[in-house]
Amino acid sequence: IVTARLTWVCPVNPRQRGFILALGCYENLNLLQPVVKHAKKEHCELGVAFVDIAKAFDTICHQHIIMGLVQRRVDPPIIHLVSKIYKNIITYID
């Protein structure tokens, strides 16, 4: 529900593979497989780059996320929910 409401006011890039209702990895592998098969068949060199902007939200101040939602006029209950998610979070690495 939260994703549906946020997507309405904050559209997601069509290349986005996380947090969407799609088989992102499956789609990506289906795009890559014929290219790899062709390179093997033709004995061509192939370079593939995977870009993963991991932990993107870790590099953004949580307050900026909340302010962005306010600027996009997201419903206050959703803003409150997102605020609660980011409040007093702690990470432990063992």
Side-chain angles (χ1 to χ4, degrees):
I1 293 171
V2 172
T3 300
R5 290 184 181 184
L6 288 176
T7 302
W8 187 72
V9 294
C10 304
V12 177
N13 187 300
R15 293 183 179 168
Q16 170 71 30
R17 293 295 182 233
F19 309 106
I20 61 168
L21 295 174
L23 301 172
C25 289
Y26 179 77
E27 290 177 15
N28 288 342
L29 289 173
N30 277 340
L31 291 171
L32 183 60
Q33 188 176 22
V35 175
V36 173
K37 281 185 179 182
H38 175 76
K40 282 184 175 182
K41 181 180 174 184
E42 300 296 323
H43 302 287
C44 300
E45 289 187 16
L46 175 65
V48 178
F50 293 93
V51 179
D52 182 11
I53 304 173
K55 298 184 178 185
F57 286 106
D58 289 354
T59 60
I60 300 172
C61 173
H62 296 159
Q63 190 58 36
H64 289 293
I65 295 170
I66 303 305
M67 293 306 298
L69 295 174
V70 170
Q71 288 175 352
R72 293 282 188 146
R73 296 189 174 108
V74 173
D75 294 335
I78 300 297
I79 295 173
H80 180 73
L81 177 65
V82 173
S83 297
K84 287 288 191 182
I85 290 170
Y86 286 119
K87 186 175 182 179
N88 296 324
I89 58 173
I90 299 171
T91 302
Y92 293 98
I93 299 174
D94 189 12

